Amino acid sequence: MEKDFYLQYAAVEDQHWWFVGRRLIVDQVIRQLTLPKNAQILEVGCGTGGNLSMLARHGQVSAMELDETACLIANQRQVTKVYLGSLPERIPFSTEYDLIVILDVLEHLDDDLAALRKLHSQLKPGGWLLITVPAYQFLWSHHDEINHHKRRYVLRDLKRVVSKAGFAVRHGSYFNSFLFPLVAGVRIFRKLFHIESNSALSSDLKKPPLLVNQFLTILFATERHLIGRFRLPFGVSILLLAQKKF
């Protein structure tokens, strides 16, 4: 992604309903894990660092990011030192972790299996891997293109590649389910009528008016009470929790 995109990304991720809702959902899932005191946590592909403060509430956080501009912005948050790195070869840490979080990163990688195998080697026995990815190839849009995505997933295929990397899959679910009909309808409409934004910032990431943003945040974040207990049958995204076998 280009420098201007990261600057715009950083400007919205603390308040935009999608980022806030996803962060609350991830936070709730982590709370349900039995992590040790002062757990060692790694965020891979932390972007401009919007999740770092949340993750720091659960343990000692390390973070890496491929893009120099995003890395610079993330370091300005002064939560933890963010290092340049990439999967599968350039992980700038030798620590073994209790939890690795990789949020909407796997879809950017040419070889997701190699990346997952590398992450497996960075976990302690019994350590956890928490993944989110975009769902359903038919939802492919301009947003995927400007983010340089390689693919969108279905839950079955994500479980398969995670298992092949050596993990035991403990939980997998679609999420952003309440808004799925609206999102799917808009994207299908745009495709049928060839309507796509040429803006450097996808319309998916433009912050809506205040009251609309607050409503969408509450609606999306409500799923945090469901996703750890139930497998939602469809959604715009997928969350998967896996464990390195003892």
Side-chain angles (χ1 to χ4, degrees):
M1 291 184 285
E2 290 78 13
K3 178 179 178 180
D4 287 347
F5 186 90
Y6 277 113
L7 294 174
Q8 295 175 39
Y9 192 95
V12 300
E13 71 170 332
D14 289 337
Q15 296 180 329
H16 188 285
W17 66 268
W18 187 85
F19 292 102
V20 175
R22 185 187 66 172
R23 196 153 47 241
L24 289 169
I25 289 169
V26 168
D27 180 57
Q28 181 67 21
V29 171
I30 295 174
R31 289 177 185 277
Q32 294 171 7
L33 302 178
T34 305
L35 294 177
K37 187 177 181 180
N38 297 319
Q40 294 296 313
I41 300 171
L42 171 64
E43 184 175 13
V44 175
C46 70
T48 53
N51 301 310
L52 295 177
S53 292
M54 176 272 290
L55 292 173
R57 295 197 292 268
H58 298 284
Q60 301 295 316
V61 179
S62 302
M64 57 180 274
E65 167 56 39
L66 171 65
D67 184 86
E68 291 185 9
T69 298
C71 192
L72 177 63
I73 296 170
N75 274 312
Q76 290 173 353
R77 294 178 179 271
Q78 298 183 332
V79 177
T80 189
K81 173 67 176 176
V82 179
Y83 292 88
L84 288 171
S86 63
L87 289 171
E89 300 299 334
R90 291 177 53 216
I91 294 184
F93 307 104
S94 58
T95 306
E96 289 188 338
Y97 292 93
D98 299 291
L99 170 66
I100 295 178
V101 177
I102 178 168
L103 306 178
D104 291 86
V105 172
L106 207 60
E107 67 273 13
H108 293 266
L109 306 178
D110 289 318
D111 191 340
D112 53 359
L113 177 58
L116 289 165
R117 283 174 170 161
K118 181 62 177 178
L119 295 179
H120 185 274
S121 73
Q122 295 285 144
L123 278 171
K124 298 176 183 178
W128 294 93
L129 176 70
L130 197 163
I131 303 171
T132 64
V133 293
Y136 300 123
Q137 197 64 27
F138 77 86
L139 292 181
W140 187 271
S141 71
H142 181 64
H143 175 75
D144 296 284
E145 293 174 2
I146 65 174
N147 278 277
H148 299 172
H149 291 174
K150 307 295 183 182
R151 69 193 75 81
R152 298 177 72 95
Y153 290 83
V154 293
L155 181 57
R156 177 187 64 252
D157 291 343
L158 182 61
K159 285 182 175 180
R160 182 183 299 120
V161 71
V162 170
S163 297
K164 193 172 182 180
F167 290 95
V169 175
R170 301 305 187 194
H171 180 74
S173 177
Y174 291 95
F175 71 107
N176 201 355
S177 300
F178 294 159
L179 291 168
F180 176 80
L182 175 62
V183 173
V186 168
R187 293 193 178 180
I188 291 170
F189 178 83
R190 287 177 179 173
K191 286 183 180 181
L192 287 175
F193 293 94
H194 306 288
I195 301 172
E196 288 291 0
S197 170
N198 292 320
S199 169
L201 180 64
S202 167
S203 58
D204 289 346
L205 292 183
K206 289 180 180 176
K207 185 182 172 184
L210 178 61
L211 291 178
V212 175
N213 191 64
Q214 289 177 342
F215 171 75
L216 293 174
T217 299
I218 292 169
L219 182 61
F220 184 21
T222 298
E223 295 184 18
R224 71 188 185 277
H225 302 300
L226 303 175
I227 196 167
R229 301 186 180 109
F230 304 99
R231 290 176 173 85
L232 303 179
F234 55 83
V236 183
S237 299
I238 299 170
L239 183 145
L240 188 140
L241 192 60
Q243 193 172 25
K244 183 174 181 176
K245 300 171 185 176
F246 288 92

